[in-house]
Amino acid sequence: MAEYLLIEVVLWEDFLNAMSKTRLQDEYNQAIRECDLFVTLVGSKVGRYTDEEFETAHAQFKATGRPLIFTYFKDVQISSASVNRADMASLWAFEDKLKVLGHFPTRYTNTDQLKHEFNQQLDKLLASGSIRVASHQPEQSQKSPKVDAGPTAGRAYPVDGYLRWLRSHTESIELRGIERAGGALVVSLPLEAAYVPLRARPIPRPGDAQDKMAAQSLPRPRSRGDAGEKTEPDERERDSDIDLNQVLGLGNRLVIIGGPGSGKTTVLLHMAWALASSLLTGQAEPAQSRLGLLGAAASELPLPIFVPLASFARFRRELPANAPARERTLTHFISYHLIRKQADVDLPDDFFVQLLRDGRPVILLLDGLDEVANEEERAEVRASVEELVSGQERMRVVVTCRTIAYRSGGTALGVRFREIAVQPLDFEQHVVPMVRQAYACIHPQDADLRSERVQELLGGIRRLEDDRRTRLGDDTQVLVDSPLMVRLLLIVHVNNRTLPDGRAELFDKAISALLQVDYGREQADIRELASDWKVFRDMAQHLAFHMHQQGRDQGREIGERALQKVLREEAEFRPHIDLFLSHARQRGSVLEERQGAYRFIHLAFQEFLVARYLREVTGDEGREAILAVLGDRLDDPWWREPILLLAGYRASNAAKSARDFLGALARVGGEPNAQFSAAELAGTAALEWRECGEATRGGCARRIVELLADESTLRAAMPVVRARAGDVLSALGDPRFDQERFWLPADEMLGFVRIAADPEFRIGTRKVDVERVAKIVGREVDDREINDAPTPTPEYLIARYPVTVAQFRAFVEAAHYEIGDADSLRDPDSRAVQWVSWHEAIAYCEWLNEQLAGSPLFEGSDAGRLVRQHQWRLALPSELEWEKAARGGLRGAVFSWGNDVDPSRANYADSGIGDTSAVGCFMANDFGLYDMIGNAFEWTRSLYKPYPYHPDDGREDLRAADDVPRVVRGGSWFNPRGYARCASRDWDDPGVRFDDVGFRVVLRSSPVE
């Protein structure tokens, strides 16, 4: 089926010519605010209304990230006899405006060239996900009902009964696994009291960073205000974090993404409860203050409709093949779902359609896009959501989805949906009130006991986190970072009064608590445990392993008939199946039933039970049997958590066996991706286990280094897999670097590589190569990189790697240097440093030069002798030195490795990593230098001046003013291949910092002044 781009072109001439209530231009401006792409074609002048329309588009873009703005200037012949001075002045003024905005327009000479240029932009937008490709479907299929602009007066619907039902089903949170005195099986926490607003971060949409991908003329300007820059310490380009109860103020199309157990569903339940409560009472509260709808009257509040998307997918799947297309739509399902769930409420069959036709404000709360079992179905559900909301500008929609699922496959919704990422819990802001409010409900009558339990649990969490930081470092991720983890700790604490250290042991105790429904610690006499809870645990792990084997698409839920078939495989389970299912349906267990299908109440429980099955059942046949099961699953993200939890579970039961298992795991895997994944998983598990020991961690680190050093394995593995392994290597302690020598490379040359003098070297791109290079990189070659003059290079030494975070931190701590941005030290130690200004890079060079010249640490080293005995100096490379090194001896090549586009050879946009990576995760060039292309732009000492390149023309002046830009080279993780190549030039002001700019150093014999 052919793919096509559907673009609605709004023609000004198609507006009604009749007099409107406002200026007709206002009608045009409103259309501009609502469009996605705004294209300005400029000829010999820029009229008053064209300028107004551009200002309207730009203001809307700054506020919302839309529309994307493109400007095209036609090169026209202007006669001096007919030129109009006012017209030319308007043209020049408009050009100056664009320059101030840092926007470079594209020029064209004829219509064919214009179409070609714009088609290239559409291709880029398509590749970046900024516009959506639709598959052609007949117009009559699955169209959303057209709605009027406003509600029809005098029409009423029986929604009060529905709202009462909705409020009753959302007004409390169930906390299973804790038995209160008196035998209650579930602790019910009132949502109004127990809900704690979490923190969220709005993710910039593709259009929000248009300055970084806009006009493709070179070089890309990098001035204050560009995405990725920090103009003040700790000031970020990204939006500020907000409370999740304020997200409705961010727009009508929202996707809340987060990890497992991050509280996404609870956010929707809270929205439904608050809106239902306000609509029933006719009062703006609690919805107004709790949902960020300040100023909204009760009559303006939207009707909340909560829909689990997994149920919609299952409904579609079970429809007969000849079912009408209308019945497959989300519109139809919503009415069906509501009527089925509320049999006692008199709702018409077309309840939801009537709401839309009347224009009643509605908010759809669509839960669990990631829980749709099949990836193909997930794409269909996503398309159904987009189909429903298309044209429904007044309808609010909030979708929840796991982060990993949303950013893979065909799950992501269109660019009109704003992504809101749930952030990890803050201890004081979230964990403390969650624990206090939970215990207030568990012990409502005993303040002393309540206070004692709160302090015990909070103290235990603090000790748990402090201990992790002690052994893993201050920057280690906290363990209790989600509502799920708080819940598990609460269950374990209430029932056991102690807290385990590792996740596996925590899950083990929590699942035991969930299954032991008759277990009561609140009574003076502990009653006898139910005799069958251990059988239930074995049944659950058997079922979990079977489901997980079905893969991500099919392994999340199972029908009742299939479930019974799986459990009947084991004779000991057969007598207990009915009771096992009864617990899931009625009393709550590790399983829950949703309209005839069963799933674990959280994927994390399923993952742990898979790990437990591997240890307790498969493990009976020995370690090799477990590794054989995992062999072709090592690089499958679906199996990542079970493997890590398996290691943790073994560690909590048999330490020596666990160490042996990690050592074996680190060295298994047939394909390169599996080998890197196995080593990374072993290293991650070793980091999580306190008693693992340095020998085991060191063995995992050495294995990753071996893989990085194996050229064939390195090149064949996916970049994202290598990058993940590189980060784990950094956390384990990277043996490639010497901690005692400020984390410089562990060899006598301290990582410096000799570059021989080259009297025939020529910087830049030759004029005859321009067309060839442009074809390879898919964009024009900037005139400012064209050079045909020889530029001989002297002998010098250059660092094998860019300066790492650990090396830069060593400088900051040793020199007591006050950096401008603390985020330069927050990445994993072995990553290329970023957020560093040119001045800070120079300061590092001066400090390290002093260490090489005088520190006893470098006495006798080859690099130290060059500084001490031959007066070589450490500096930033010149632009000429940088390019000579980057080419690796290849003359005229586009990239460090040759002329072929290859995202596996450098960390740039096409590699898919989306951030800096540990140095050395990509192959070296023929000089043995890593990361010359991609990862992070690298400062040079050269001023940005045109070619021809003359070293003595003042471009190497280190004392030039700060308003003169310095050259940065190499491209970064963010950039397309047009920037990530040997000859591409870019610049930054020396005082700015970006999230994709770092540096490397050289040793040279001639002085640098």
Side-chain angles (χ1 to χ4, degrees):
M1 183 177 292
E3 293 183 335
Y4 69 102
L5 297 178
L6 180 61
I7 301 177
E8 178 186 1
V9 180
V10 179
L11 301 175
W12 298 153
E13 289 77 12
D14 278 358
F15 283 94
L16 189 64
N17 288 329
M19 181 176 292
S20 65
K21 295 180 181 179
T22 62
R23 296 187 312 153
L24 188 56
Q25 182 63 38
D26 291 340
E27 306 287 336
Y28 301 164
N29 292 345
Q30 184 58 35
I32 291 170
R33 295 186 188 98
E34 296 172 354
C35 74
D36 294 300
L37 303 178
F38 177 81
V39 182
T40 300
L41 305 181
V42 180
S44 58
K45 69 175 183 178
V46 177
R48 164 189 166 191
Y49 294 114
T50 300
D51 190 69
E52 180 178 338
E53 289 154 7
F54 177 86
E55 288 294 336
T56 299
H58 187 250
Q60 185 71 10
F61 168 72
K62 289 197 297 181
T64 68
R66 294 281 159 178
L68 300 182
I69 300 172
F70 299 84
T71 56
Y72 294 90
F73 278 57
K74 185 174 183 180
D75 288 327
V76 295
Q77 298 293 327
I78 300 177
S79 168
S80 60
S82 61
V83 66
N84 183 297
R85 291 176 180 267
D87 288 350
M88 292 304 298
S90 72
L91 183 65
W92 294 333
F94 191 68
E95 288 181 323
D96 290 340
K97 177 185 295 185
L98 295 181
K99 289 179 182 178
V100 170
L101 295 174
H103 180 71
F104 288 77
T106 303
R107 298 190 177 274
Y108 69 100
T109 57
N110 54 54
T111 303
D112 287 340
Q113 184 183 2
L114 173 63
K115 290 194 293 185
H116 173 73
E117 292 286 350
F118 192 58
N119 272 327
Q120 285 189 324
Q121 293 302 301
L122 292 178
D123 289 341
K124 290 185 170 78
L125 289 169
L126 176 62
S128 69
S130 299
I131 56 179
R132 180 169 61 90
V133 175
S135 297
H136 178 68
Q137 296 180 4
E139 289 188 2
Q140 66 269 24
S141 67
Q142 296 194 37
K143 291 294 183 183
S144 303
K146 299 295 183 182
V147 299
D148 298 327
T152 303
R155 190 108 181 225
Y157 292 96
V159 298
D160 283 1
Y162 161 71
L163 289 171
R164 283 191 292 272
W165 174 89
L166 182 64
R167 183 175 63 180
S168 69
H169 281 73
T170 57
E171 63 187 1
S172 61
I173 303 172
E174 291 184 350
L175 192 61
R176 297 176 180 177
I178 299 175
E179 181 181 347
R180 301 170 63 180
L185 302 174
V186 175
V187 172
S188 182
L189 309 181
L191 188 67
E192 184 174 11
Y195 182 74
V196 176
L198 306 182
R199 298 294 291 172
R201 178 169 301 151
I203 305 299
R205 292 166 290 193
D208 293 345
Q210 189 188 11
D211 286 344
K212 272 199 158 186
M213 62 169 288
Q216 297 297 313
S217 54
L218 289 172
R220 176 172 58 93
R222 302 175 60 85
S223 58
R224 291 189 179 275
D226 268 0
E229 178 190 358
K230 294 184 180 177
T231 56
E232 298 290 343
D234 297 326
E235 178 188 345
R236 297 185 179 278
E237 163 260 347
R238 62 178 182 246
D239 294 343
S240 299
D241 288 359
I242 61 170
D243 283 342
L244 258 179
N245 62 347
Q246 301 295 314
V247 296
L248 292 185
L250 295 178
N252 286 359
R253 305 282 188 270
L254 304 174
V255 181
I256 298 177
I257 60 176
S262 58
K264 304 180 293 297
T265 298
T266 304
V267 172
L268 297 192
L269 295 175
H270 177 254
M271 290 178 180
W273 168 80
L275 288 167
S277 299
S278 286
L279 289 170
L280 281 171
T281 62
Q283 303 295 320
E285 292 297 335
Q288 188 179 83
S289 60
R290 281 179 168 262
L291 302 182
L293 298 174
L294 300 180
S299 59
E300 299 172 333
L301 296 175
L303 183 74
I305 298 178
F306 183 94
V307 179
L309 289 175
S311 298
F312 173 49
R314 186 165 53 253
F315 171 80
R316 284 171 53 97
R317 189 186 316 134
E318 294 172 355
L319 285 174
N322 60 351
R326 177 184 65 84
E327 293 187 10
R328 298 184 179 277
T329 65
L330 183 55
T331 303
H332 174 80
F333 172 76
I334 290 173
S335 292
Y336 166 84
H337 175 71
L338 294 179
I339 294 169
R340 182 180 179 186
K341 296 291 285 186
Q342 302 105 65
D344 60 329
V345 178
D346 185 19
L347 293 178
D349 290 344
D350 60 348
F351 167 69
F352 182 59
V353 174
Q354 290 181 18
L355 289 176
L356 296 182
R357 285 174 178 163
D358 273 9
R360 173 153 187 166
V362 170
I363 180 168
L364 291 183
L365 306 174
L366 306 180
D367 188 38
L369 182 56
D370 59 291
E371 295 183 4
V372 176
N374 179 279
E375 187 168 322
E376 181 178 350
E377 288 183 350
R378 201 177 303 143
E380 292 173 354
V381 169
R382 181 216 68 214
S384 297
V385 173
E386 293 179 335
E387 189 78 32
L388 172 59
V389 304
S390 177
Q392 312 281 6
E393 296 302 326
R394 299 184 70 221
M395 181 192 294
R396 290 179 176 271
V397 184
V398 185
V399 182
T400 65
C401 188
R402 275 196 184 189
T403 304
I404 293 177
Y406 191 73
R407 292 176 176 167
S408 62
T411 307
L413 292 155
V415 293
R416 285 187 177 274
F417 278 82
R418 186 74 182 271
E419 292 181 32
I420 311 295
V422 181
Q423 297 301 291
L425 300 186
D426 175 82
F427 183 81
E428 295 294 339
Q429 188 176 1
H430 304 121
V431 177
V432 171
M434 283 180 178
V435 171
R436 286 177 175 165
Q437 291 169 16
Y439 267 120
C441 297
I442 296 170
H443 301 298
Q445 305 301 324
D446 193 333
D448 291 339
L449 178 60
R450 179 169 66 242
S451 177
E452 177 187 341
R453 294 294 176 85
V454 167
Q455 295 308 313
E456 282 179 356
L457 179 52
L458 292 178
I461 295 174
R462 288 190 182 96
R463 287 190 297 274
L464 184 64
E465 299 292 6
D466 288 345
D467 191 39
R468 283 172 56 81
R469 281 191 293 270
T470 298
R471 71 177 189 272
L472 300 178
D474 290 338
D475 295 331
T476 190
Q477 181 180 355
V478 297
L479 179 66
V480 188
D481 62 352
S482 69
L484 172 66
M485 296 305 296
V486 175
R487 176 191 176 197
L488 292 179
L489 288 170
L490 188 63
I491 292 171
V492 172
H493 183 254
V494 170
N495 293 339
N496 298 278
R497 298 290 296 272
T498 58
L499 292 181
D501 175 59
R503 288 185 305 144
E505 187 179 359
L506 174 61
F507 283 126
D508 193 28
K509 291 183 179 298
I511 287 174
S512 297
L514 286 170
L515 291 170
Q516 296 175 47
V517 294
D518 294 325
Y519 190 30
R521 279 288 185 182
E522 301 300 324
Q523 302 179 30
D525 299 321
I526 299 175
R527 290 177 294 178
E528 184 177 359
L529 302 183
S531 60
D532 50 5
W533 78 267
K534 291 185 179 179
V535 177
F536 282 3
R537 182 184 61 193
D538 293 342
M539 294 170 73
Q541 72 185 26
H542 181 87
L543 179 63
F545 183 71
H546 170 83
M547 291 173 64
H548 223 73
Q549 284 182 303
Q550 308 311 306
R552 181 183 296 275
D553 291 343
Q554 302 293 335
R556 188 63 182 96
E557 66 180 20
I558 187 171
E560 184 167 327
R561 183 176 300 177
L563 184 153
Q564 291 190 11
K565 182 179 178 182
V566 170
L567 293 181
R568 287 196 189 101
E569 294 172 356
E570 300 293 332
E572 63 179 299
F573 296 159
R574 293 169 191 163
H576 305 279
I577 292 177
D578 289 342
L579 186 57
F580 182 75
L581 293 180
S582 176
H583 280 205
R585 285 192 297 263
Q586 301 174 18
R587 301 168 64 180
S589 180
V590 292
L591 279 179
E592 62 180 345
E593 185 264 343
R594 295 186 180 185
Q595 298 181 3
Y598 292 81
R599 62 173 55 210
F600 287 90
I601 60 174
H602 200 284
L603 180 58
F605 289 113
Q606 177 176 323
E607 290 165 336
F608 169 74
L609 287 167
V610 172
R612 196 177 192 283
Y613 180 92
L614 288 169
R615 172 66 179 86
E616 300 296 338
V617 180
T618 309
D620 281 347
E621 302 175 21
R623 184 181 68 203
E624 296 304 320
I626 296 176
L627 295 175
V629 170
L630 299 179
D632 58 353
R633 298 177 169 119
L634 293 166
D635 56 345
D636 184 350
W638 178 243
W639 284 84
R640 177 178 179 81
E641 277 299 292
I643 294 172
L644 290 175
L645 290 167
L646 167 63
Y649 184 64
R650 292 178 69 101
S652 65
N653 288 277
K656 183 180 185 305
S657 173
R659 293 188 185 96
D660 293 341
F661 174 75
L662 291 183
L665 175 63
R667 296 189 171 274
V668 298
E671 298 299 319
N673 278 332
Q675 291 177 332
F676 267 104
S677 295
E680 180 266 321
L681 286 166
T684 300
L687 289 167
E688 291 183 353
W689 179 22
R690 178 172 58 180
E691 290 83 15
C692 172
E694 290 304 317
T696 302
R697 291 195 186 96
C700 293
R702 288 190 295 275
R703 174 57 176 164
I704 296 175
V705 172
E706 289 175 11
L707 294 171
L708 291 175
D710 187 311
E711 185 173 302
S712 60
T713 303
L714 182 65
R715 182 167 185 179
M718 293 175 59
V720 292
V721 175
R722 290 181 252 154
R724 191 161 56 233
D727 283 346
V728 171
L729 172 63
S730 177
L732 289 167
D734 194 335
R736 297 177 298 172
F737 301 97
D738 186 349
Q739 182 178 2
E740 300 302 319
R741 289 182 169 183
F742 306 114
W743 294 103
L744 295 173
D747 60 67
E748 285 307 305
M749 285 303 298
L750 308 178
F752 284 102
V753 176
R754 178 179 178 273
I755 307 297
D758 186 352
E760 298 179 359
F761 184 73
R762 181 185 291 107
I763 198 173
T765 299
R766 297 185 307 168
K767 188 173 294 185
V768 297
D769 291 332
V770 167
E771 185 175 343
R772 173 180 66 87
V773 173
K775 185 176 181 180
I776 292 172
V777 302
R779 61 184 301 163
E780 294 182 1
V781 173
D782 180 38
D783 290 343
R784 284 163 285 195
E785 75 173 59
I786 298 173
N787 172 62
D788 285 323
T791 50
T793 59
E795 178 187 18
Y796 60 99
L797 303 177
I798 190 167
R800 180 182 300 123
Y801 306 111
V803 172
T804 66
V805 172
Q807 292 165 5
F808 195 68
R809 182 187 295 109
F811 150 64
V812 170
E813 293 175 351
H816 303 290
Y817 187 85
E818 185 174 347
I819 54 176
D821 195 319
D823 274 0
S824 61
L825 304 180
R826 287 179 181 162
D827 280 337
D829 280 0
S830 294
R831 285 198 193 183
V833 71
Q834 53 186 343
W835 296 116
V836 175
S837 72
W838 183 84
H839 295 294
E840 289 167 338
I842 289 292
Y844 175 88
C845 293
E846 293 174 349
W847 167 81
L848 186 53
N849 197 79
E850 292 175 359
Q851 304 310 308
L852 293 175
S855 172
L857 294 174
F858 301 106
E859 188 173 352
S861 71
D862 294 338
R865 278 195 296 270
L866 287 174
V867 175
R868 298 177 189 211
Q869 299 176 16
H870 302 285
Q871 286 71 54
W872 283 46
R873 286 190 59 81
L874 192 129
L876 292 177
S878 67
E879 185 179 14
L880 177 62
E881 290 166 341
W882 187 94
E883 186 171 327
K884 167 63 181 177
R887 292 190 177 279
L890 300 179
R891 298 192 184 278
V894 177
F895 307 106
S896 286
W897 56 88
N899 293 317
D900 295 329
V901 175
D902 189 351
S904 73
R905 296 296 297 264
N907 180 6
Y908 64 100
D910 292 347
S911 304
I913 295 174
D915 203 345
T916 54
S917 52
V919 298
C921 287
F922 292 82
M923 291 173 59
N925 67 12
D926 288 348
F927 284 161
L929 305 176
Y930 292 89
D931 299 288
M932 293 298 298
I933 301 299
N935 210 356
F937 272 104
E938 296 181 7
W939 286 110
T940 72
R941 66 177 185 271
S942 301
L943 298 171
Y944 189 82
K945 289 194 173 189
Y947 292 160
Y949 188 101
H950 296 296
D952 56 357
D953 65 359
R955 70 178 64 224
E956 312 299 345
D957 183 5
L958 299 184
R959 295 166 294 186
D962 272 2
D963 59 354
V964 183
R966 299 280 176 175
V967 174
V968 292
R969 287 295 210 113
S972 76
W973 58 269
F974 176 85
N975 300 111
R977 61 179 179 265
Y979 296 107
R981 56 190 178 87
C982 295
S984 178
R985 309 178 74 201
D986 212 330
W987 54 266
D988 284 327
D989 291 335
V992 302
R993 301 173 183 85
F994 290 93
D995 64 350
D996 61 351
V997 179
F999 66 104
R1000 80 174 67 214
V1001 296
V1002 296
L1003 267 175
R1004 60 197 317 272
S1005 59
S1006 54
V1008 180
E1009 297 179 356

